[in-house]
């Protein structure tokens, strides 16, 4: 039977992208549904829905300010029933939370009128409108965090330059993690307050470092996200430098941690000069960037785990020495929800002498299809086009994980589980369900869990769910990657 595609358009209806992604996940999981999407009908989103095979003529004709409910189901009756249930989901929060709706502002002006002490605006709208909304917020004297992506880098540079001239901070675009004054924003974790500040161009990198600091008894003053492009040459680290200035002035911050994938060489020198001007202690974790000449008040960390330990004043172990090169009998397959966690694992495997291929290769690794062990970032666009990020919908990993378990060439499967606000309610349970369905022998499964016991999902409970199905859970992503290498050593009787 041929599947049916049905769209329903709500004129002038807006809901933030995180809320829409959650509803998309819920609807896609309904019986008889092959795929579903709830998106604002911007040109970029219509292209995503077209690519995902859920866009019908009604949705294709919708305006950018309209919401499209798109369903591909096994038959027309199921599709229309699902759309009715989707509409009920859209209306449910408004009916069930009438008290909140009474004071929920519909504009920045209304929000400031209700709460004059507000000083930060979180922008989560389609990328086409994010810059305009951010400018409104800046004009009203607010700092800005932009969760939205698909903002051209030229617009990012102009916006950040304007904000800097106004003395205002722009975090983002595509900034998914921040902790400001103890308040976790977007995808962030519940960690105690403390004297360590973080400036992060990486969302899951910031989550991993802040959670490891918390687990070792430390706390966070603020974690300021910058957006993943801030340390590119075109942007020049505008937000990073402003965040460093803020934390430098903050009396509650004693140590500042910088977390990023490899930045542009010219920006590294700018950051280095700014670090040297500070009287505070710095830990710099630019993953994959070795040999940076640092001033005396700074130390370099080669992994996120080491960044957390050095920030706490602890010692770290020497990097693992090269092992048996690329000639192993078994393969490591890494399936990551966190892009920076995937990058960190690639670096650790390469330092162990292993060849690595990835859809997001770090320096020295090959693109997917190249030789070596395969580490995939399942949050990259090729896996999430038209669907929620795996931190919201862990089913993105289901089929790749099931296939990795079946493949006799694989010796180790390496995964991450990321907890915190904004994420799935039970990501470890989703992994456990796939493992329970697997029959026969399979590779060793090694995991790390990024989170704390104060997170909505609960760290201890999530670890217990993984261990109950035989997963080897390591205390950090770096430890998990090193354990994967050790399992290959054991395969070779070393």
């Amino acid at each position: 039977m041929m599947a049916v595609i049905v769209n329903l358009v709500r004129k002038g209806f807006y809901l933030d992208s995180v809320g829409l992604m959650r509803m998309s996940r819920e609807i896609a999981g309904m019986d008889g549904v092959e795929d579903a999407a709830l998106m604002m009908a911007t040109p970029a989103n219509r292209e995503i829905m077209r690519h995902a095979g859920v866009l019908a003529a009604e949705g294709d004709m919708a305006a950018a300010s309209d919401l499209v409910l798109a369903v591909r189901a096994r038959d027309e009756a199921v599709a229309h029933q699902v759309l009715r249930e989707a509409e009920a989901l859209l209306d449910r929060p408004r009916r069930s939370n009438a008290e909140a709706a009474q004071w929920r502002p519909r504009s920045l002006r209304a929000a400031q009128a209700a709460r004059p002490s507000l000083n930060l605006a979180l922008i989560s709208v389609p990328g086409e409108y994010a810059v305009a909304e951010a400018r409104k917020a800046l004009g009203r004297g607010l700092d800005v965090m932009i969760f939205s992506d698909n903002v051209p880098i030229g617009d990012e540079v102009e916006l950040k330059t304007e904000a800097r001239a106004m003395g205002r901070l722009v975090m983002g675009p595509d900034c998914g993690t921040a902790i400001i004054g103890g308040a976790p924003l977007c995808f962030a974790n519940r960690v105690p307050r403390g004297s360590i500040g973080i400036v992060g161009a990486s969302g899951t990198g910031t989550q991993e470092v802040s959670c490891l600091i918390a687990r070792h008894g430390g706390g966070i003053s603020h974690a300021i996200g910058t957006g993943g492009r801030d340390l590119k040459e075109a942007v020049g680290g505008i937000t990073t430098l402003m965040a460093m200035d803020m934390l430098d002035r903050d009396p509650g911050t004693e140590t500042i941690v910088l977390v990023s994938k490899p930045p542009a060489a010219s920006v590294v020198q700018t950051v280095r000069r700014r670090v040297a001007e500070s009287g505070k202690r710095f830990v710099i974790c630019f993953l994959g960037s070795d040999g940076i000449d640092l001033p005396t008040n700074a130390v370099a960390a080669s992994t996120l785990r080491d960044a957390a330990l050095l920030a706490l004043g602890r010692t770290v172990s020497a990097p693992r020495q090269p092992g048996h090169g690329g000639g192993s009998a078994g393969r490591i397959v890494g399936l990551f929800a966190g892009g920076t966690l995937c990058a960190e694992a690639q670096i650790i495997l390469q330092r162990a002498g292993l060849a690595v291929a990835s859809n997001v290769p770090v320096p020295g690794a090959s693109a997917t299809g190249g030789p070596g062990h395969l580490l995939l970032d399942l949050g990259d666009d090729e896996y999430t086009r038209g669907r929620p990020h795996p931190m919201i919908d862990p089913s993105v990993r289901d089929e790749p994980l099931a296939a990795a378990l079946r493949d006799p060439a694989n010796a180790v499967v390496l995964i991450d589980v990321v907890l915190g606000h904004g994420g799935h309610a039970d990501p470890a349970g989703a992994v456990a369900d796939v493992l329970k369905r697997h029959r026969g022998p399979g590779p060793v499964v090694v995991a790390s869990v990024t989170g704390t016991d104060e997170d909505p999902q609960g760290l201890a409970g999530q670890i217990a769910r993984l261990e109950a199905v035989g997963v080897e859970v390591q205390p950090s992503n770096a430890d998990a990657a090193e354990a994967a290498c050790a399992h290959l050593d054991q395969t070779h009787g070393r």
Side-chain angles (χ1 to χ4, degrees), residues 41-407:
T42 63
N45 284 347
R46 292 203 305 273
E47 185 57 34
I48 289 172
M49 288 187 280
R50 185 176 295 107
H51 180 83
V54 297
L55 187 66
E58 300 93 322
D60 203 18
M61 296 172 62
S65 58
D66 298 338
L67 174 68
V68 177
L69 292 77
V71 175
R72 187 176 72 246
R74 67 184 177 213
D75 59 46
E76 193 155 345
V78 170
H80 285 288
Q81 175 60 31
V82 168
L83 283 182
R84 285 193 289 274
E85 294 184 31
E87 285 200 281
L89 281 175
L90 283 174
D91 294 334
R92 184 176 59 185
R94 297 183 170 195
R95 291 199 301 265
S96 63
N97 199 1
E99 184 179 349
Q102 288 178 0
W103 63 266
R104 182 178 295 170
R106 298 183 66 82
S107 67
L108 287 171
R109 183 189 299 276
Q112 283 190 302
R115 301 281 182 88
S117 61
L118 295 180
N119 57 11
L120 173 70
L122 172 55
I123 308 293
S124 177
V125 299
E128 294 91 326
Y129 311 111
V131 170
E133 294 302 316
R135 283 198 169 100
K136 290 179 188 175
L138 292 170
R140 302 192 68 82
L142 302 173
D143 294 319
V144 173
M145 177 177 179
I146 305 177
F147 181 79
S148 316
D149 58 5
N150 294 316
V151 174
I153 194 167
D155 292 348
E156 177 177 347
V157 174
E158 288 184 13
L159 184 67
K160 288 185 170 180
T161 302
E162 293 169 16
R164 181 174 57 188
M166 301 164 72
R168 295 293 167 195
L169 186 72
V170 173
M171 297 186 284
D174 200 15
C175 180
T177 300
I179 303 172
I180 305 298
L185 301 176
C186 296
F187 297 105
N189 304 85
R190 284 280 176 192
V191 297
R193 298 297 305 277
S195 62
I196 300 172
I198 300 175
V199 180
S202 148
T204 49
T206 298
Q207 287 187 265
E208 176 80 346
V209 172
S210 62
C211 289
L212 292 176
I213 287 172
R215 285 195 226 169
H216 286 87
I220 304 300
S221 57
H222 306 281
I224 301 175
T226 66
R229 300 183 304 203
D230 190 70
L231 291 172
K232 290 186 177 294
E233 188 166 6
V235 186
I238 293 175
T239 300
T240 298
L241 296 170
M242 293 184 69
M244 291 167 64
D245 290 343
M246 289 177 148
L247 294 176
D248 213 7
R249 294 191 298 267
D250 176 27
T253 300
E254 297 175 0
T255 299
I256 300 172
V257 182
L258 305 183
V259 180
S260 172
K261 296 174 186 175
S266 60
V267 182
V268 169
Q269 293 309 312
T270 303
V271 171
R272 184 195 179 284
R273 286 192 292 272
R274 179 61 190 87
V275 169
E277 294 169 359
S278 173
K280 294 191 175 179
R281 179 171 171 269
F282 279 77
V283 177
I284 299 180
C285 181
F286 290 157
L287 288 171
S289 295
D290 294 326
I292 299 175
D293 179 26
L294 295 175
T296 56
N297 62 331
V299 294
S302 60
T303 66
L304 301 168
R305 172 196 58 197
D306 290 356
L309 293 174
L310 289 169
L312 290 162
R314 310 282 180 86
T315 56
V316 298
S317 302
R320 179 187 170 89
Q321 296 301 308
H324 43 247
S328 63
R331 185 173 70 156
I332 299 171
V333 173
L335 302 171
F336 291 88
T340 303
L341 301 179
C342 180
E344 181 184 44
Q346 291 178 59
I347 291 165
I348 289 172
L349 263 62
Q350 287 190 95
R351 288 180 179 170
L354 303 176
V356 176
S358 175
N359 59 326
V360 285
V362 300
S366 304
T368 304
H373 304 273
L374 180 64
L375 304 185
L376 297 176
D377 172 12
L378 300 178
D380 195 49
D381 289 347
E382 65 180 291
Y383 293 99
T384 58
R385 191 170 290 115
R387 346 184 21 172
H389 190 279
M391 285 166 55
I392 299 172
D393 178 10
S395 68
V396 173
R397 182 157 50 191
D398 287 1
E399 181 49 38
L401 177 56
L405 294 172
R406 291 192 300 266
D407 190 340

